[in-house]
Structure formats: C-alpha cells, structure tokens
Amino acid sequence: MSVSAHAAGARDQSPIRDRPPIATDRALTLLAEGDVELMGRMPYSSNATFLVDVAHDGLDAQAIYKPVRGERPLWDFPSGLAHREEGAFLVDRALGWDLVPPTVVRDDLPFDAGSLQLFMPSNFEEHYFTLVSEDRFGQELRRICAFDIVINNTDRKSGHCLLGTDGTIWAIDNGLSFHCQFKLRTVIWDFAGERLPDGVRRDLRGLLEAGLPGSLAAALTPQEQDATLERTQNLLAAGRFPSDGHGHRWPWPLV
C-alpha cells in the first residue's frame, strides 16, 4: 500500500489526531526507541516530510519524519539537515526555553536516516503574523527571535511558528540553521531595536557559561559550534534585537 493510500484509509479522513501533553524525557525515549509506522506525506514541504505513528512501552504518539535521502541538494548547506533539526532542539533545551518539540535522529527509519520530531497538535490557521499582535505571546515570540539569531536560522517563515492546542507556541522547521556565515532570514522583525528581556539575557549568559551540550558534536562541526557561541556573545553585547535596514533578511515565501 502506498503511503498516501495508507494515510487516506487509516483513520477516517485524516491521520492527524490530538493527544495529551507528553513530558520531554518520555517523548525522547519514545522517539529514540519506538516502532515507527508511516501515515502520510505532509503537504507544502520542499523536502520529503512524513507524518508517522510512533509507539513504545504503552505510549502512542505522532511525529514528523524528515529522511536525509529526501532532502533537495543545497549549494550552501551539506546534506544531513536532520542533524541540524536535532541541534536546534539541543540548543533550545540548553537554554530552557521549550520552543522546539523533542527531536532525535535515527538511522533505522522507513527511508533510512532522518530526524523524528514529536508532532504537536496545533491550530494551523494561526502563525506568526496572526500571533504577534497578541500581548500574551510576546515573551515566547521574543525568545524565538533571539533563538533564531543564536542558531542562525535562514528560513523562519511565519508558518514555522505554530500555536499548539495547549496554548504553547512551537518553533518548527529549523534544519536550515547553524551556518558559520551569518545568514539570518526571518519574518520576526517587530522587536527590532528593543532591549533584550532580562530573562533572555540571563539564559544566554547561562548558555555561554555552561557551554554548548556535548551531544551537539554529532550535529555540528567545531567551526559551527564556535560560530554559535560567537553569535550568542554578540547578541548579548548588543543588548538589543537587531534590525534589517535593507530588507534583505526575509525568507520567501513569507508564510
């Protein structure tokens, strides 16, 4: 049976389902050790991206699977964006911000090696442009803004900020990150010139003092790790969110 046919017939009209929240450590065990079943291909993705079911030790959830072999070749990034997806989660976890859903890399998946990221049930009508005007999301969106500078995100589209059904904003699609050359492209410019919130400054300092997680060695080169720390230091030294005076640092499409 084809993946699309399986998806169409597996659970009524849609294979996507809601679920209760899962603690991060348990989610990581599920993703790393669980049995994986393909449910369908996600639409509108430039690279091959699949919805999968994952089951382990009585826990059943869904994840987004991005196989390395399904990546389009890029002139400025090597293959293996799955490791950068995992790297973004590791940096986010070190900061304590809970922006990126739990993510792992496995080599025993249906189309061989790739990333598995816990699927977060969300309101897909909402995205950055619909959320930024609501004050209640200001803290999370400012953290995503700072996070993208640290990881050098080259593709923060509006639709990469999801409003979960639990009210949490999730930052997804972080594979085009961690380049040594500063390549920031983002839709998040509403905070340009603002002073970094005290909590953001504290957490960035904590990252510099503790150093990057040792597990990042599997995801990033030493040069990429050094560049990540340098961007963090520069952002702290500036003390403010940057601006884009020339309008060159926007992704396309915007959503």
Side-chain angles (χ1 to χ4, degrees), residues 11-91:
R11 288 186 174 83
D12 300 324
Q13 296 301 311
S14 173
I16 294 175
R17 62 186 188 275
D18 204 349
R19 58 159 176 77
I22 302 173
T24 298
D25 287 342
R26 193 172 186 206
L28 289 171
T29 299
L30 170 73
L31 294 172
E33 302 178 15
D35 296 324
V36 175
E37 179 182 7
L38 283 168
M39 298 305 296
R41 186 162 181 173
M42 301 298 288
Y44 315 121
S45 297
S46 56
N47 293 327
T49 304
F50 299 93
L51 179 71
V52 299
D53 274 354
V54 190
H56 177 70
D57 194 25
L59 181 62
D60 181 13
Q62 294 182 304
I64 298 299
Y65 166 40
K66 296 183 178 181
V68 172
R69 62 191 282 191
E71 297 173 4
R72 293 189 307 167
L74 298 170
W75 68 269
D76 53 349
F77 280 89
S79 64
L81 301 182
H83 292 284
R84 296 171 191 270
E85 292 276 8
E86 182 184 40
F89 166 73
L90 293 172
V91 171

Side-chain angles (χ1 to χ4, degrees), residues 103-239:
T103 309
V104 304
V105 172
R106 286 174 54 174
D107 59 9
D108 61 345
L109 297 170
F111 298 123
D112 301 323
S115 62
L116 275 184
Q117 184 172 90
L118 188 67
F119 177 79
M120 298 315 221
S122 300
N123 179 352
F124 295 106
E125 298 300 315
E126 301 281 4
H127 50 84
Y128 174 75
F129 291 138
T130 68
L131 300 171
V132 67
S133 61
E134 299 193 43
D135 291 342
R136 62 192 173 116
F137 298 128
Q139 175 176 287
E140 290 169 280
L141 293 176
R142 284 169 173 81
R143 283 179 176 173
I144 295 176
C145 184
F147 178 67
D148 284 342
I149 296 166
V150 169
I151 69 169
N152 199 14
N153 195 328
T154 74
D155 193 38
R156 177 62 71 204
K157 296 182 175 69
S158 183
H160 295 171
C161 297
L162 297 182
L163 178 60
T165 55
D166 62 354
T168 299
I169 296 181
W170 298 101
I172 64 164
D173 284 344
N174 302 296
L176 293 178
S177 299
F178 296 109
H179 201 287
C180 290
Q181 180 184 349
F182 192 61
K183 288 176 162 293
L184 180 70
R185 287 196 296 273
T186 177
V187 297
I188 306 180
W189 292 107
D190 297 82
F191 314 125
E194 282 189 13
R195 185 177 181 275
L196 293 179
D198 290 341
V200 169
R201 294 168 63 91
R202 180 195 64 237
D203 295 337
L204 293 177
R205 284 196 205 95
L207 181 67
L208 289 174
E209 291 170 1
L212 296 176
S215 49
L216 266 176
L220 305 177
T221 67
Q223 293 80 8
E224 288 167 339
Q225 294 182 63
D226 289 344
T228 300
L229 293 173
E230 183 177 357
R231 288 189 298 270
T232 305
Q233 291 171 333
N234 290 342
L235 180 59
L236 265 174

